Amino acid sequence: MKINFLVNKRPVTINSSPGRRLVDILRIDLGLTGTKEGCGEGRCGSCLVLMNGNLVNSCLISAFKLPDAEIVTIEGYAQSKEYANLKQALEVTGAFPCGFCSSGIIMATGNLLAENSSPTAAEIREALSGNVCRCGDYDNIIAGIRGGAAKPQSRRYGKTR
Amino acid sequence: MAKPGDLLRVLRPKSVNGLLRLYAKNPDALLFAGGTERATRLKPDSVSAESKIVIYLGKVEELSRIRRSQRYLEIGSCLPISRIVSIGRHILPEALSTALRSIANPAVRNLATLGGNICAAIPNNDSIAPLYAIDGQLEIRSLSGSRWVPISRFFPGAGETVLKEGEILFRIRIPLEEWDYQVFRKVSGSHICSHPLLNFCGLARFSKGILETVRFALGGLNNTVFRSLELESRLEGKTLPLSEKEVESLLAGADELLEPLTDSSFSAAYKRATGLRLLRWFIENIHRENR
Ligand SMILES: Cc1cc2nc3c(=O)[nH]c(=O)nc-3n(C[C@H](O)[C@H](O)[C@H](O)COP(=O)(O)OP(=O)(O)OC[C@H]3O[C@@H](n4cnc5c(N)ncnc54)[C@H](O)[C@@H]3O)c2cc1C
Ligand code: FES
Ligand code: FES
């Protein structure tokens, strides 16, 4: 089927079978490899994008849902001022040792901050409850999001969630 | 029935009548709401084991409506769970709201619908025990009309619903009663947004230290949800706090009635013990709200 939709504000037309997943369309057809695939079943959050303003797992979106949809990927979000601020804060805490989870976590965080500009640690944990960081760097990620540095004793991997 | 290699055809009706007509014409079609159960089973080019026709419900506006009357909240089957929680804030019974907020994670809740959670026919899905406890009703529609079914009669057997050929779940009716004490708890096997193993919902209403109404439902023991009107009525009219004898007698009664089954992850004995612990925790805590 021929599908017209918007990706990062640009009109896109693709030819796809209706059951293909958005994560594959983004990565393979459109070369937007910032969106990652981890579990492929909605559990890890590596593939998060915005669809019509809502945070969704692109591994769970079939192509037939895409006509007229507006998709924002990490490549689109990275153009925003909010991203620049967040990136700087995350660099301070040195979050994301390997970075595989980072695009999903940043998309989930951007979505949270759009509604709540100064979330508590508990609110951040809840917003990131669908994101798995295999390096277990949750303390530094949360500290970065809160704009502060993580305390040295909490820098051990996998300590808290 | 589709064969491997058959191409997937997707129908996207925009009205309930259009949907019901299409479903009557294609009774083997697969209904697709949020797709969080379905999407991972669709093959890119073919649907090998199931139907080759998918009917997507997400464009049917009537299925995404929510309506409030004095006594009920009526939720369209295709409204995403995150929307129900935000629209229903301060209206939904707290136990049901807690259950819905416990499902999966925020992104999945933006896709998953309440209708899908019910029609997936997995009675330990998290909305089901609270819907049993609050006496939720389901409106089923087909081309030949509409019928209402209490949730307690919706699952006739393992993996089954009472939906007949051409029927869809149209909306879910939530009675808006006042409760003095409401709890929802779930027990999961792993911490990463896994499906629940057991879930429990308890509700109580009391006045001047006397229990007026108590309801509780326990999902996950077997292929249905446990609720016993007989056990509930034993507590009604009792003075709070309940005596140790009253608590133990109720638990003994529940122990006799529970019929847990061993599954691939957990033994029947573990489920029985955990179910009874949840019930004990609920009844022992009722009086704390009554101070
Ligand atoms: C990562 C992850 C974690 C999860 N965690 C939980 C959890 O913690 N608790 C929990 O309860 N569930 C959980 N789930 C399960 C799932 O999200 C829910 O069951 C969801 O509510 C299903 O809704 P849906 O709209 O996605 O259904 P779909 O996948 O679209 O459909 C599910 C089934 O219902 C049928 N159906 C849907 N709507 C209708 C209708 N209106 N009429 C008739 N039939 C219909 C479909 O044909 C299909 O058989 C999880 C899922 C994932 C992917
Ligand atoms: S790849 Fe989509 S949630 Fe894990
Ligand atoms: S930084 Fe490695 S997975 Fe999160």
Side-chain angles (χ1 to χ4, degrees):
Chain A
M1 73 192 267
K2 194 167 154 195
I3 304 170
N4 295 310
F5 62 118
L6 285 180
V7 178
N8 300 330
K9 299 193 179 148
R10 289 217 188 106
V12 168
T13 302
I14 56 159
N15 238 318
S16 168
S17 55
R20 277 184 83 218
R21 305 173 313 164
L22 175 59
V23 64
D24 298 322
I25 293 169
L26 292 172
R27 291 178 55 84
I28 300 168
D29 300 20
L30 304 177
L32 295 169
T33 52
T35 301
K36 307 293 182 212
E37 181 180 3
C39 63
E41 51 181 45
R43 288 178 196 278
C44 75
S46 310
C47 66
L48 293 179
V49 297
L50 295 180
M51 180 171 174
N52 303 329
N54 296 316
L55 190 72
V56 296
N57 311 82
S58 59
C59 67
L60 296 179
I61 303 290
S62 303
F64 66 78
K65 283 189 169 183
L66 292 178
D68 303 324
E70 255 183 75
I71 304 294
V72 177
T73 68
I74 186 67
E75 288 87 349
Y77 185 66
Q79 305 302 317
S80 66
K81 193 168 139 249
E82 292 79 11
Y83 171 79
N85 295 339
L86 186 57
K87 178 170 174 275
Q88 205 174 23
L90 288 164
E91 279 168 358
V92 170
T93 60
F96 301 129
C98 86
F100 186 82
C101 66
S102 60
S103 62
I105 288 186
I106 290 169
M107 292 307 290
T109 306
N111 186 58
L112 168 70
L113 296 178
E115 282 165 16
N116 177 357
S117 57
S118 53
T120 61
E123 286 165 339
I124 298 170
R125 282 198 168 84
E126 165 56 23
L128 300 186
S129 58
N131 291 84
V132 177
C133 171
R134 291 144 190 89
C135 299
D137 204 25
Y138 299 107
D139 283 0
N140 285 321
I141 294 168
I142 292 167
I145 294 169
R146 297 191 78 194
K151 294 191 178 76
Q153 65 269 26
S154 66
R155 294 184 73 112
R156 271 175 290 145
Y157 290 163
K159 195 175 151 250
T160 53
R161 175 99 209 253
Chain B
M1 183 60 73
K3 298 182 293 301
D6 279 353
L7 279 188
L8 176 64
R9 233 179 96 212
V10 182
L11 307 173
R12 301 168 13 122
K14 293 208 168 70
S15 67
V16 172
N17 280 340
L19 158 64
L20 295 176
R21 270 197 304 273
L22 283 175
Y23 201 25
K25 235 195 250 173
N26 303 283
D28 289 336
L30 206 69
L31 298 181
F32 192 109
T36 62
E37 299 271 355
R38 283 293 184 202
T40 49
R41 273 188 267 158
L42 292 184
K43 299 264 164 48
D45 298 301
S46 62
V47 214
S48 50
E50 299 181 86
S51 169
K52 64 177 175 177
I53 298 178
V54 164
I55 302 182
Y56 177 47
L57 308 182
K59 296 282 166 195
V60 181
E61 195 267 330
E62 295 108 303
L63 294 181
S64 293
R65 287 189 190 149
I66 192 160
R67 229 190 84 211
R68 185 188 176 173
S69 65
Q70 208 153 15
R71 293 173 56 205
Y72 302 110
L73 189 66
E74 291 178 340
I75 301 172
S77 64
C78 223
L79 201 63
I81 284 169
S82 58
R83 295 265 300 139
I84 299 172
V85 170
S86 71
I87 300 172
R89 188 163 294 155
H90 311 306
I91 307 171
L92 277 179
E94 187 50 36
L96 177 61
S97 177
T98 308
L100 296 180
R101 279 184 277 119
S102 83
I103 290 177
N105 56 58
V108 169
R109 291 197 292 276
N110 282 336
L111 296 170
T113 65
L114 182 53
N117 200 251
I118 297 167
C119 294
I122 306 171
N124 58 337
N125 270 351
D126 283 311
S127 68
I128 315 284
L131 287 172
Y132 262 69
I134 62 180
D135 286 332
Q137 302 267 333
L138 309 178
E139 185 184 358
I140 294 171
R141 285 217 186 159
S142 68
L143 267 189
S144 49
S146 147
R147 62 188 175 115
W148 284 90
V149 174
I151 183 103
S152 54
R153 297 221 199 101
F154 191 68
F155 304 107
E160 291 173 2
T161 71
V162 295
L163 292 176
K164 296 195 210 113
E165 193 168 296
E167 286 187 329
I168 61 150
L169 173 58
F170 181 67
R171 61 182 158 172
I172 299 101
R173 181 182 274 172
I174 314 287
L176 296 176
E177 292 181 73
E178 294 283 328
W179 296 100
D180 297 306
Y181 183 50
Q182 307 187 41
V183 292
F184 172 81
R185 280 284 184 281
K186 77 196 237 184
V187 179
S188 300
S190 117
H191 69 290
I192 305 170
C193 54
S194 69
H195 274 69
L197 156 69
L198 288 178
N199 44 34
F200 177 89
C201 177
L203 309 168
R205 193 160 40 231
F206 35 73
S207 171
K208 296 184 182 135
I210 307 285
L211 263 178
E212 284 178 349
T213 312
V214 180
R215 301 208 196 134
F216 50 85
L218 181 59
L221 292 175
N222 51 31
N223 298 322
T224 179
V225 171
F226 173 79
R227 185 172 165 203
S228 163
L229 302 185
E230 195 268 317
L231 285 182
E232 290 173 0
S233 66
R234 274 206 228 164
L235 289 174
E236 291 170 7
K238 295 267 191 266
T239 305
L240 291 170
L242 297 170
S243 69
E244 202 184 319
K245 202 170 141 205
E246 284 164 338
V247 171
E248 295 310 325
S249 145
L250 188 91
L251 288 168
D255 194 17
E256 265 176 42
L257 294 176
L258 297 184
E259 292 176 336
L261 292 175
T262 295
D263 60 30
S264 55
S265 311
F266 297 96
S267 69
Y270 174 77
K271 289 185 181 180
R272 176 184 296 278
T274 310
L276 289 173
R277 260 202 305 279
L278 286 165
L279 180 55
R280 176 187 289 281
W281 164 79
F282 167 62
I283 50 178
E284 285 186 344
N285 277 295
I286 294 177
H287 75 275
R288 300 215 171 130
E289 292 295 308
N290 182 44
R291 285 183 196 156

